[in-house]
Amino acid sequence: MAITGAIFDCDGTLLDSMAMWRNATKRLLALYGVTLTPQIFEAIEPLALDETCEYIHTHFHGGTSGEDVMNTFADIVQDGYIRCPGPIAGIVTLLEDLRAHGVKMAVASSTSQGNLNFALEHFGLMKYFEKTFSTGGSIRSKEYPDIWMLAQEFLGTDPNSTWVFEDTPFGVREGRRAGLHTVCLFDPRMQRDFSTCASYADFMISHYSELSYERLNAWNAPVPPMSDRAESNTATHIAECDNVYHALIVGGSPEKPTRSCVTQLAREADLIIACDGGADVLYDAQITPDIFCGDSDSVSEAAATWAHEHAAQSIDLPVEKDMTDLACAIEQARAKAQAAHKTLHLTLCAVSGGRPDHALGVIGLLSTASHYCPRVVENTFEMRVLDSRGRQHWQFTKDDIGRTVSVLALSSATTLSESGFHWNINHEQLGFLNDRGVSNVVDTPYAEVTVHSGRAVVYKLL
């Protein structure tokens, strides 16, 4: 369904002002002899401004009343807005794009109405919005869906074609609870939990260049109920679901896969993504990607031109960003699988050679994406992440007899079993990166590694 409405959070979503809010809160608390801690910031971040000030008055005896604290805070915040960097990179381009296509827009924020309108006017953003809404009074905090529902009702748009843009887990969650589609602008500097944000977001982005009216307009999946979203993260749903969407992501590792290897992987895929230098691999094999994404810092000019011309979708990422090209590619795969109402299974190649820090980063990234049953296939090995949320077993065949298999725990308390190997273990607990599972050998057909709890990475040498 075509996008007809967009509701934006302000701080951290429209304006690069989250650092300002931390500093302003520090300044306010310092007036009352209190030091801002992560626990205090976490407690007050979802609250409306009047609730925040009442919290400070009640817990720290600040001011003569919550209203007195709010008056002081309002002056500090207004000064902070004047000094903050301004609009988030790329947001003006997206707002112009949406406005040009007749999308009705509003702002929903925890910032007080006076400070909110001042900031939007100061940075020239007010002209894009039909109305601004602030939590407080009869509108509960963003730990509830009230403000999103109110803004959507004002716009008069269909919930299935109305999108919420947020940067906080609770904001994205309550936008979903309001029955609206959601975009999460993920900023790792804020130390948000990626998996929590992703569980409620239709799109996870790190930069607005990843979005456009066309991309939002092409989204045809209905808003899933909250119960369905929770169910999609269960092991039963993922491990036993036959409705699988196979995505292949090809990276730009200096150690290129053979043409036969990448061709076979492509045949098995429902979606092929060229991740920056991965376009060179596909260009050489003459395999057209469905999506080309990256910042073009590792792809050749010829392959980049070819990929832009032939891929159904190109996503040009900035070099300066807080998310790797590979993380963006995984997010594109997740979005496509969700739109197809299927369970995502990830395969990656050309992502492990070259720099050792990159290889470790890939393991870390796939560890957080273990519910997508990820595997890496290279010329000399295949690697899988096993986890009770996704793929829990890896069963080998008679063709694997004599091959070396290594298992390394990716959590502090991983319990696993290995059967059919030269050395077998039964429900043994391994510590993080413990070397006890290194260099085992497949002895029998149907040898198997099973992770009972925790998470492990398993390598089969080819």
Side-chain angles (χ1 to χ4, degrees):
M1 181 179 289
I3 174 175
T4 59
I7 309 168
F8 288 83
D9 168 56
C10 180
D11 299 296
T13 305
L14 290 172
L15 298 179
D16 188 4
S17 50
M18 290 309 296
M20 178 279 288
W21 273 102
R22 284 188 181 273
N23 291 333
T25 307
K26 284 181 183 178
R27 287 175 60 188
L28 178 69
L29 289 173
L31 294 176
Y32 308 118
V34 179
T35 299
L36 177 64
T37 65
Q39 292 74 24
I40 294 174
F41 192 80
E42 183 178 351
I44 65 177
E45 186 183 16
L47 302 180
L49 191 62
D50 60 344
E51 295 172 330
T52 295
C53 294
E54 188 61 42
Y55 181 97
I56 292 173
H57 170 66
T58 301
H59 288 75
F60 308 117
H61 310 293
T64 58
S65 65
E67 184 177 357
D68 181 40
V69 175
M70 189 160 68
N71 291 333
T72 302
F73 203 10
D75 291 338
I76 294 173
V77 169
Q78 182 164 316
D79 179 64
Y81 273 129
I82 293 172
R83 299 170 185 273
C84 85
I88 295 279
I91 185 59
V92 172
T93 300
L94 178 62
L95 293 174
E96 289 282 0
D97 193 16
L98 296 177
R99 183 169 70 168
H101 287 89
V103 177
K104 300 173 72 174
M105 293 182 280
V107 177
S109 174
S110 298
T111 301
S112 67
Q113 199 78 50
N115 282 135
L116 175 62
N117 291 346
F118 169 82
L120 294 175
E121 291 283 6
H122 180 72
F123 291 109
L125 298 183
M126 186 67 88
K127 62 185 179 183
Y128 297 105
F129 304 105
E130 300 196 17
K131 189 174 177 64
T132 62
F133 296 86
S134 294
T135 56
S138 61
I139 306 176
R140 292 182 295 179
S141 75
K142 281 195 173 178
E143 291 194 315
Y144 302 91
D146 302 23
I147 196 167
W148 304 118
M149 298 171 68
L150 184 65
Q152 182 268 320
E153 289 171 4
F154 170 82
L155 292 176
T157 50
D158 188 320
N160 274 305
S161 63
T162 304
W163 288 76
V164 163
F165 295 77
E166 253 283 1
D167 68 310
T168 64
F170 54 83
V172 177
R173 182 193 67 218
E174 295 309 310
R176 169 71 66 216
R177 197 179 299 279
L180 308 177
H181 284 297
T182 53
V183 173
C184 180
L185 181 65
F186 187 77
D187 184 351
R189 295 174 301 177
M190 293 303 298
Q191 298 182 328
R192 316 282 194 200
D193 182 73
F194 183 90
S195 60
T196 300
C197 293
S199 66
Y200 299 110
D202 293 290
F203 287 112
M204 289 285 291
I205 62 171
S206 60
H207 192 279
Y208 280 115
S209 62
E210 300 168 43
L211 277 187
S212 65
Y213 168 81
E214 286 75 16
R215 188 176 180 206
L216 293 166
N217 207 48
W219 187 256
N220 59 9
V223 179
M226 291 287 283
S227 58
D228 289 352
R229 180 59 64 103
E231 180 188 359
S232 69
N233 284 331
T234 65
T236 300
H237 176 81
I238 293 172
E240 298 179 359
C241 179
D242 294 325
N243 196 27
V244 171
Y245 189 85
H246 294 280
L248 170 64
I249 299 175
V250 183
S253 168
E255 297 178 15
K256 308 295 185 187
T258 62
R259 178 175 294 189
S260 61
C261 174
V262 73
T263 298
Q264 179 59 41
L265 294 175
R267 288 197 190 105
E268 301 167 357
D270 299 304
L271 176 76
I272 301 172
I273 302 177
C275 184
D276 211 67
D280 283 289
V281 176
L282 295 174
Y283 181 54
D284 292 341
Q286 286 302 289
I287 299 170
T288 303
D290 298 294
I291 299 175
F292 171 54
C293 74
D295 54 20
S296 297
D297 67 346
S298 63
V299 64
S300 69
E301 183 176 351
T305 301
W306 170 81
H308 276 116
E309 290 177 351
H310 292 85
Q313 181 181 359
S314 293
I315 302 172
D316 296 316
L317 301 175
V319 174
E320 298 291 334
K321 59 186 183 298
D322 294 313
M323 184 181 287
T324 63
D325 293 342
L326 181 56
C328 176
I330 292 174
E331 174 53 27
Q332 305 310 309
R334 185 195 69 83
K336 292 293 186 183
Q338 184 175 327
H341 307 290
K342 294 185 177 183
T343 299
L344 176 63
H345 281 197
L346 280 173
T347 298
L348 297 83
C349 70
V351 296
S352 305
R355 289 169 48 175
D357 55 334
H358 284 181
L360 286 172
V362 168
I363 294 173
L365 184 59
L366 296 186
S367 176
T368 64
S370 60
H371 45 299
Y372 300 141
C373 302
R375 64 171 182 156
V376 175
V377 180
E378 306 286 17
N379 293 331
T380 58
F381 69 87
E382 178 175 346
M383 178 267 277
R384 298 185 183 187
V385 176
L386 303 187
D387 185 315
S388 59
R389 297 187 306 157
R391 181 185 286 115
Q392 195 170 4
H393 312 273
W394 189 355
Q395 189 173 76
F396 301 91
T397 70
K398 62 180 182 180
D399 294 333
D400 294 316
I401 293 176
R403 294 195 186 280
T404 297
V405 172
S406 290
V407 182
L408 294 165
L410 293 178
S411 60
S412 58
T414 296
T415 303
L416 56 88
S417 297
E418 295 180 53
S419 60
F421 290 87
H422 192 69
W423 296 279
N424 295 313
I425 58 176
N426 183 27
H427 286 77
E428 184 163 333
Q429 188 175 96
L430 299 183
F432 178 64
L433 294 183
N434 185 290
D435 66 352
R436 175 161 164 70
V438 171
S439 295
N440 210 338
V441 179
V442 177
D443 266 0
T444 64
Y446 313 115
E448 185 175 64
V449 177
T450 301
V451 170
H452 307 288
S453 64
R455 189 175 303 149
V457 58
V458 183
Y459 288 87
K460 178 178 74 173
L461 304 189
L462 303 178

